[in-house]
Amino acid sequence: MAHAFPYTEIACPCTLNVSAADSARRTSVSVPQATDDDEEQTFNPHSPRANFSLYSPNDLLYCDDCHTIRCPRCWIEEIQVWYCPSCLFEIPGSAVKSDAEPAQLAGPFIQTCPYCSWTSLDAGIQFATSNHISDQLLKLRKPRSQEQNSDEAGVKAIVQGQDAPPILTLSHEAHFSNLTSFYKTLLNDAPTLNPYAVFAASPGASAYSSPSNLARIITMYSASPSKNPQKKVLPLREALTSAEGLALLPPPASLGSETEIIARMRETGYFDTASLEQQREAPINYEKRFHLGKDALWPVATLLRTRRTRRCSTCRHILSKPETKQGITKYRIKLLASEHILRFMLRPLNLPLISASGLLKPHSTILYVLVVRNPLFNPVKVTLATPSTTPGKVESRVTILCPDFTVGASGEGVGNEVWDDALRSSTSSSRQTSSALSASGHEGRHTSGVGFEDRVPEAGKVWERGRNWVSVVLEIVPGSLNPPSIPLSFETLSIRQDQSGTANAVPGAMREDSETIGEDDEEAVLKIPVLVRMEWDADAGAEGPEAGHKGEVAKEKRELAFWSVFCIGRIGA
Amino acid sequence: MTSRSSDASKKSSLLPASKPTLSEKAQFTGSHAVNIGEGAIIHPHARIRAEGGDVMIGKHSMLYERALVGTVDGGDVTIGEYVNIETGAVVEAKSVGDGTTVEVNAVVGKSAVLGRWCKVAPLERVEAGEVLEDFTVVYGDGQRRTDKTTKEHKEIRDLKKEAQIKAVQVISTMIPNFSAKWES
Ligand SMILES: [Zn+2]
Ligand SMILES: [Zn+2]
Ligand SMILES: [Zn+2]
């Protein structure tokens, strides 16, 4: 990831529910005693699944109707406007769907590039009307590919050696249909090998129509794979001949010999050959590197870009809406999650313990200051919970010295806040000045090593406190990448948890496999999952700057819980 | 068709066969002859420099704003018919063939020879002395290609000529014509 350590990520609660319910279902067959309590299940930031649930706080939105975080999986997008990426011309939705701009002049028409003077006539293409270009192109394309196929049934043989089957060259369309039918027959022939074949082979027909299919589906869902050992699923074989859809890369024989190609290039110049970008623009043009003349590059429609409105998938509330005006990239509405949930910032309290390489040293305690900032206009009661050892292959020990505290309400705007801090610092000690600065993130590195040598973090006590922020200390003992190979059991786990307060508890995994983890491994990154619970009294009915002024406003209890992941750094070997 | 004057400053002279459209704000310098064809248009702030030799502009050709045609010491410049020298382009070529377009801010060096129906895309260069065959397109930072459509289809060439005549007709109604001022 491109982030610089330390950084924080947030798992959208929606993804958490999915994965928790899902894993519960999966484990319920093999491990009946698995817990049903979803929330107690620790979020594992190293699991492959986590990739799909973790987001940077700035990428998340917030639904202020449902009062929860929204991520790309739980918002829906609506296309607001289509536009051309080259000229930014906006195309009305009706025109996009119907391509029905009325034809005005009588044809024939050709397409021409006003820059390089290429025209569709170079590829032998003329249009009868000036609209429905894609349709016309498709119609023009069909007879051509048939024509190509009809001469000698569309094939020319390249002899590949004596025993090998001849490799035939086909038009793009014939190649595609051969390959499609090859895969279909493959799936039909081997339905027992692949339980999903029934869906793949007959997308149109109902999968439940035949009794045998139904029986197969029932077995798929009723039996756990481990209890009902099946034949190993064989990998599907690939196409071997061009009748099955195999295409070889060397230029088709229709182009002529290499010397012919060279002679043609000498005549027309290198620049008249198709560029790689042009070849890749569409499969039709894939083999057109050295084609010149009539059947050269086929025109490909420009894909339009869109601007989208995002809505909450639960209540349809608009979460973000771009400005409709052309060329403005601002949003008219954008409910950022970071303006509705706590913001976290981490900085090391004692820099010297991080080695010069920037890697964390296993088994040596480091202290991090976690600054929790409240963007809401009401005080928030915060509870932070983290497993005493981090999940994953490398078990690091983590203690949040003060997991329960209340953060004050945010003022109206940043200006006020800065003013507040300035006032405070002029009346109190210089130590607090530096703390205020470090809390706002500007000089954290500078002050952390200097100002606090005399202070010792205490359990249960907030480290520092500002008007709408609180900082607490995290004690972290990075685990080792080479753990001792002691089998892990529930007993050792519980013992270790009991001892977790004492300094000499041995961190590091006790696992059966003594596999070593490399420094570049994803598991070598120290990631701390923290369950954050926010509780506050919101002004009923309204939230944001317009609320919270007039004396007695009805209050409403609110609660929000989500997993956050603190990514501290890489552990050295 | 051609006349000469010894006035070396702003006033060279010309004798159009039929009236071209010359803006009052067009600039003419040099003592050599300038010959402008029927239906041609010299836009405001276009410059014709007849210092190094004669300048001839063919029928139905256009010189746009701040375009410069001619040389200080490079000899005659002959621009063909149906030619467009776009805004800010500099043409010191020996000759430019019929139907050719030199686009915005493109540069054609001294004694270059451009064939018929060529196109020099915006900001492209044709070096001094270079010869472009008919139907050559200079584009994409020095690439060259042949405009096959125009080459192989006479009807396209005719359409282009027709369009140019129409454009010239429309524009000539919009630019106050001071050609009388330059006649001699
Ligand atoms: Zn909602
Ligand atoms: Zn979500
Ligand atoms: Zn082009």
Side-chain angles (χ1 to χ4, degrees):
Chain A
M1 219 173 279
H3 292 283
F5 292 114
Y7 62 91
T8 61
E9 287 180 318
I10 287 174
C12 178
C14 80
T15 61
L16 179 73
N17 290 344
V18 167
S19 63
D22 212 61
S23 56
R25 195 177 63 222
R26 270 190 288 111
T27 51
S28 61
V29 181
S30 48
V31 193
Q33 69 269 35
T35 173
D36 272 346
D37 196 346
D38 290 348
E39 250 184 27
E40 295 308 313
Q41 214 161 355
T42 302
F43 181 84
N44 180 4
H46 295 290
S47 83
R49 207 173 256 279
N51 270 336
F52 302 99
S53 355
L54 287 174
Y55 298 93
S56 157
N58 296 325
D59 295 340
L60 293 169
L61 299 174
Y62 184 88
C63 176
D64 54 10
D65 261 16
C66 304
H67 305 296
T68 189
I69 302 166
R70 289 290 174 226
C71 72
R73 290 164 116 191
C74 58
W75 69 52
I76 41 179
E77 293 190 334
E78 263 170 29
I79 293 166
Q80 189 180 352
V81 95
W82 280 264
Y83 65 95
C84 166
S86 312
C87 69
L88 300 182
F89 179 75
E90 270 182 26
I91 296 102
S94 56
V96 170
K97 278 162 198 151
S98 62
D99 181 22
E101 153 203 336
Q104 281 161 344
L105 298 162
F109 294 86
I110 55 170
Q111 294 178 311
T112 103
C113 172
Y115 179 67
C116 72
S117 302
W118 175 93
T119 80
S120 60
L121 270 184
D122 293 359
I125 299 165
Q126 272 193 55
F127 301 96
T129 60
S130 61
N131 56 0
H132 300 291
I133 297 294
S134 296
D135 288 351
Q136 292 188 62
L137 277 174
L138 199 70
K139 273 181 204 144
L140 287 166
R141 182 78 199 161
K142 255 183 203 159
R144 260 189 217 204
S145 54
Q146 276 159 10
E147 180 190 306
Q148 261 183 41
N149 287 355
S150 63
D151 60 4
E152 293 169 44
V155 292
K156 288 178 184 132
I158 304 171
V159 182
Q160 278 268 307
Q162 287 172 333
D163 299 328
I167 299 302
L168 311 166
T169 62
L170 294 173
S171 73
H172 166 72
E173 285 81 0
H175 172 213
F176 181 80
S177 69
N178 282 5
L179 201 57
T180 317
S181 58
F182 167 70
Y183 281 128
K184 273 187 183 161
T185 41
L186 208 62
L187 290 169
N188 274 332
D189 291 350
T192 47
L193 295 182
N194 181 355
Y196 300 100
V198 58
F199 304 113
S202 53
S206 164
Y208 309 101
S209 54
S210 93
S212 64
N213 279 355
L214 205 56
R216 196 159 61 235
I217 290 163
I218 289 165
T219 31
M220 269 166 61
Y221 286 102
S222 60
S224 97
S226 55
K227 278 182 186 167
N228 184 10
Q230 286 176 324
K231 277 176 253 165
K232 271 263 168 78
V233 174
L234 293 172
L236 296 177
R237 76 178 179 87
E238 291 299 338
L240 290 175
T241 66
S242 55
E244 290 178 343
L246 177 71
L248 291 190
L249 224 52
S254 63
L255 268 177
S257 69
E258 225 163 90
T259 43
E260 279 175 67
I261 295 172
I262 291 168
R264 238 179 306 167
M265 274 173 65
R266 192 167 284 148
E267 187 189 311
T268 57
Y270 176 74
F271 294 125
D272 250 11
T273 60
S275 69
L276 218 52
E277 289 86 353
Q278 286 172 317
Q279 285 175 277
R280 285 177 181 165
E281 191 70 27
I284 295 175
N285 290 328
Y286 190 68
E287 288 164 358
K288 297 294 169 63
R289 181 81 174 116
F290 300 111
H291 283 263
L292 297 163
K294 255 194 129 185
D295 60 339
L297 293 172
W298 191 258
V300 177
T302 298
L303 292 179
L304 299 177
R305 306 287 156 88
T306 56
R307 277 193 288 209
R308 292 153 193 251
T309 302
R310 286 169 184 162
R311 286 175 186 278
C312 170
S313 62
T314 311
C315 71
R316 303 260 151 180
H317 190 71
I318 290 180
L319 306 177
S320 80
K321 189 183 178 73
E323 200 67 60
T324 39
K325 260 199 182 165
Q326 265 244 29
I328 299 177
T329 48
K330 271 201 305 192
Y331 280 83
R332 191 186 287 176
I333 301 170
K334 196 165 194 183
L335 302 172
L336 284 170
S338 58
E339 286 166 14
H340 292 85
I341 61 171
L342 299 174
R343 293 177 216 170
F344 301 104
M345 214 200 67
L346 284 157
R347 58 185 171 84
L349 183 64
N350 43 2
L351 274 179
L353 282 184
I354 295 175
S355 61
S357 61
L359 298 174
L360 304 170
K361 265 196 220 151
H363 306 310
S364 60
T365 308
I366 40 171
L367 299 177
Y368 267 79
V369 175
L370 171 70
V371 182
V372 181
R373 199 165 267 274
N374 177 15
L376 300 176
F377 298 95
N378 301 88
V380 174
K381 192 175 165 310
V382 181
T383 313
L384 304 174
T386 181
S388 53
T389 52
T390 57
K393 288 183 186 159
V394 180
E395 298 194 342
S396 305
R397 209 155 47 73
V398 182
T399 315
I400 301 173
L401 292 188
C402 179
D404 294 287
F405 50 88
T406 301
V407 195
S410 170
E412 277 120 298
V414 184
N416 219 347
E417 202 172 286
V418 170
W419 189 231
D420 219 54
D421 285 345
L423 277 176
R424 212 167 48 89
S425 65
S426 66
T427 53
S428 57
S429 73
S430 62
R431 204 192 59 195
Q432 269 171 313
T433 315
S434 62
S435 69
L437 278 171
S438 60
S440 54
H442 301 303
E443 314 213 339
R445 289 184 139 248
H446 170 68
T447 52
S448 58
V450 186
F452 302 114
E453 284 152 347
D454 49 337
R455 258 182 91 193
V456 179
E458 282 175 74
K461 286 209 173 137
V462 156
W463 178 243
E464 286 172 284
R465 183 183 284 282
R467 184 158 76 149
N468 70 328
W469 58 268
V470 161
S471 66
V472 294
V473 173
L474 262 64
E475 197 183 271
I476 302 164
V477 186
S480 168
L481 303 186
N482 314 296
S485 54
I486 300 164
L488 174 72
S489 69
F490 285 100
E491 287 86 333
T492 56
L493 237 189
S494 58
I495 289 165
R496 225 144 38 84
Q497 270 173 355
D498 290 343
Q499 300 174 332
S500 62
T502 65
N504 54 0
V506 181
M510 304 180 175
R511 298 165 313 129
E512 271 177 38
D513 52 332
S514 58
E515 133 197 41
T516 305
I517 291 147
E519 278 176 13
D520 298 331
D521 202 297
E522 192 272 335
E523 294 270 0
V525 177
L526 174 44
K527 294 182 175 178
I528 307 170
V530 176
L531 182 61
V532 181
R533 189 182 296 278
M534 303 167 58
E535 287 167 85
W536 73 101
D537 291 322
D539 307 320
E543 237 183 87
E546 66 279 354
H549 269 309
K550 291 162 195 167
E552 294 300 302
V553 187
K555 296 278 180 181
E556 196 176 282
K557 269 226 176 302
R558 292 257 166 79
E559 194 186 319
L560 181 63
F562 56 89
W563 281 97
S564 182
V565 174
F566 300 161
C567 303
I568 304 294
R570 261 178 200 287
I571 301 174
Chain B
M1 280 278 282
T2 310
S3 80
R4 282 172 196 271
S5 113
S6 55
D7 189 352
S9 70
K10 224 187 158 192
K11 295 204 173 75
S12 58
S13 38
L14 46 118
L15 185 69
S18 163
K19 279 206 174 132
T21 303
L22 307 186
S23 165
E24 184 192 21
K25 288 174 182 162
Q27 242 188 61
F28 295 82
T29 57
S31 57
H32 291 269
V34 175
N35 187 334
I36 297 175
E38 178 187 333
I41 294 181
I42 314 299
H43 282 245
H45 306 294
R47 289 191 288 160
I48 292 180
R49 187 189 272 169
E51 290 164 33
D54 296 353
V55 174
M56 273 151 281
I57 311 277
K59 286 185 205 169
H60 313 297
S61 290
M62 275 198 273
L63 253 66
Y64 286 80
E65 294 84 352
R66 293 191 293 105
L68 190 152
V69 171
T71 62
V72 178
D73 54 4
D76 297 350
V77 174
T78 306
I79 306 287
E81 300 178 357
Y82 306 96
V83 169
N84 288 304
I85 311 292
E86 277 282 356
T87 304
V90 175
V91 177
E92 296 182 297
K94 189 171 161 198
S95 68
V96 174
D98 294 351
T100 288
T101 296
V102 180
E103 286 278 5
V104 176
N105 289 339
V107 175
V108 180
K110 265 178 217 167
S111 65
V113 175
L114 270 57
R116 289 154 55 240
W117 301 102
C118 289
K119 180 175 159 177
V120 184
L123 298 167
E124 294 292 323
R125 290 185 72 91
V126 175
E127 299 302 334
E130 207 178 331
V131 176
L132 292 190
E133 279 177 51
D134 295 351
F135 308 107
T136 303
V137 181
V138 180
Y139 72 107
D141 214 4
Q143 297 183 42
R144 305 279 194 274
R145 69 182 290 273
T146 302
D147 180 354
K148 253 182 282 172
T149 303
T150 312
K151 186 179 183 179
E152 288 167 10
H153 299 266
K154 184 179 182 299
E155 67 274 21
I156 299 272
R157 296 198 290 274
D158 291 343
L159 275 174
K160 286 188 171 179
K161 284 184 184 175
E162 222 175 278
Q164 177 77 1
I165 287 172
K166 278 184 188 158
V168 164
Q169 275 170 357
V170 170
I171 290 170
S172 67
T173 62
M174 299 192 292
I175 297 175
N177 193 351
F178 281 77
S179 61
K181 182 178 162 190
W182 306 104
E183 278 172 46
S184 66

